[in-house]
């Protein structure tokens, strides 16, 4: 089973991937961990390469991350695409909250490269704008890719904590049988 988890930054993809990984014991590829390990000029190609290798080396996988420019590396192999459509206010709040926690405690979250050091600068403000405008700007592109690779029937949309908990509980029951 190859499971792709997509959605805006701050939607809870990485947390959800870890929770699903506990239930399934599937290996997880956190795309942020790969992308932020390299300089920007080679990061996308390294991300594509790592994704290909991970998919071909593992029968069962969970891939956590959006990176629209690399969806074509993942969607053709997806058995399930979990799209976390969390409201923009919540995603933006979560991104700011994790940035503050990272600054206060001085360590990154487990799903991001150790080399990554977030700065509160113009680039960070642009990132927050990206998160805020994600539904308008990125959803149509994701929908187009989903149609292009004919995986509409494999998409599961989860909008809130209750949806996520229900999905995980159902998956847990399936895993036990």
């Amino acid at each position: 089973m190859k499971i792709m988890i997509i959605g805006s930054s701050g939607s809870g993809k990485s947390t959800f991937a870890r929770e699903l990984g506990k239930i399934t014991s599937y290996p997880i590829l956190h795309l942020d961990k790969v992308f932020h390990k390299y300089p920007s000029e080679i990061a996308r190609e390294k991300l594509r390469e790592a994704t290909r290798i991970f998919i071909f080396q593992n029968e069962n996988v969970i891939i956590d991350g959006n990176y629209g420019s690399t969806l074509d590396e993942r969607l053709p192999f997806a058995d399930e695409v979990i799209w976390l459509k969390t409201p923009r206010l919540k995603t933006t709040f979560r991104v700011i909250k994790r940035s503050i926690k990272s600054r206060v405690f001085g360590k990154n979250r487990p799903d991001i490269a150790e080399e990554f050091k977030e700065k509160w600068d113009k680039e960070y403000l642009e990132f927050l704008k990206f998160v805020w405008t994600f539904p308008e700007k990125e959803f149509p592109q994701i929908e187009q890719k989903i149609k292009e690779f004919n995986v509409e029937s494999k998409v599961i949309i989860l909008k809130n904590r209750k949806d996520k908990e229900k999905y995980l509980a159902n998956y847990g029951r399936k895993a036990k049988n």
Side-chain angles (χ1 to χ4, degrees):
M1 175 71 88
K2 294 188 177 6
I3 302 170
M4 314 298 150
I5 303 172
I6 61 173
S8 174
S9 300
S11 63
K13 295 182 302 295
S14 299
T15 301
F16 188 80
R18 285 192 302 275
E19 291 171 358
L20 185 57
K22 287 176 190 172
I23 294 168
T24 62
S25 299
Y26 293 173
I28 302 169
L29 175 62
H30 295 287
L31 297 180
D32 278 346
K33 203 165 200 155
V34 176
F35 184 81
H36 291 293
K37 186 175 187 171
Y38 300 100
S40 58
E41 59 274 2
I42 64 167
R44 291 236 185 267
E45 188 49 44
K46 292 292 188 181
L47 190 59
R48 294 173 83 76
E49 181 183 326
T51 301
R52 283 191 297 268
I53 291 168
F54 190 73
I55 287 172
F56 287 113
Q57 286 183 346
N58 297 285
E59 182 180 347
N60 299 307
V61 299
I62 298 170
I63 300 180
D64 148 41
N66 210 67
Y67 294 95
S69 65
T70 66
L71 281 171
D72 59 333
E73 292 288 341
R74 294 172 275 149
L75 289 177
F77 303 99
D79 295 306
E80 212 166 73
V81 178
I82 300 169
W83 188 350
L84 303 183
K85 285 191 171 179
T86 308
R88 80 172 84 216
L89 192 58
K90 185 171 272 193
T91 59
T92 306
F93 173 76
R94 286 177 176 169
V95 167
I96 293 169
K97 181 180 163 185
R98 74 183 183 203
S99 296
I100 291 169
K101 284 171 80 174
S102 171
R103 246 211 201 316
V104 169
F105 297 111
K107 69 180 208 178
N108 286 334
R109 46 191 217 273
D111 50 86
I112 198 158
E114 288 179 31
E115 296 84 353
F116 179 70
K117 297 296 176 229
E118 192 168 66
K119 298 177 184 99
W120 290 349
D121 56 7
K122 183 181 177 192
E123 188 176 311
Y124 180 72
L125 291 175
E126 288 171 6
F127 176 64
L128 288 178
K129 182 180 177 187
F130 170 77
V131 174
W132 184 258
T133 61
F134 195 88
E136 291 85 21
K137 293 186 176 180
E138 301 301 318
F139 280 13
Q141 293 176 42
I142 294 169
E143 289 165 349
Q144 180 58 39
K145 286 286 186 186
I146 286 170
K147 286 179 186 170
E148 183 181 324
F149 288 100
N150 198 28
V151 294
E152 296 101 313
S153 64
K154 298 176 181 181
V155 176
I156 298 166
I157 296 173
L158 306 177
K159 295 184 176 182
N160 53 46
R161 182 183 306 254
K162 186 177 176 183
D163 289 351
K164 292 174 191 177
E165 288 170 356
K166 184 177 178 182
Y167 176 90
L168 292 169
N170 287 337
Y171 214 98
R173 281 193 287 279
K174 282 193 273 184
K176 289 179 184 176
N177 295 332

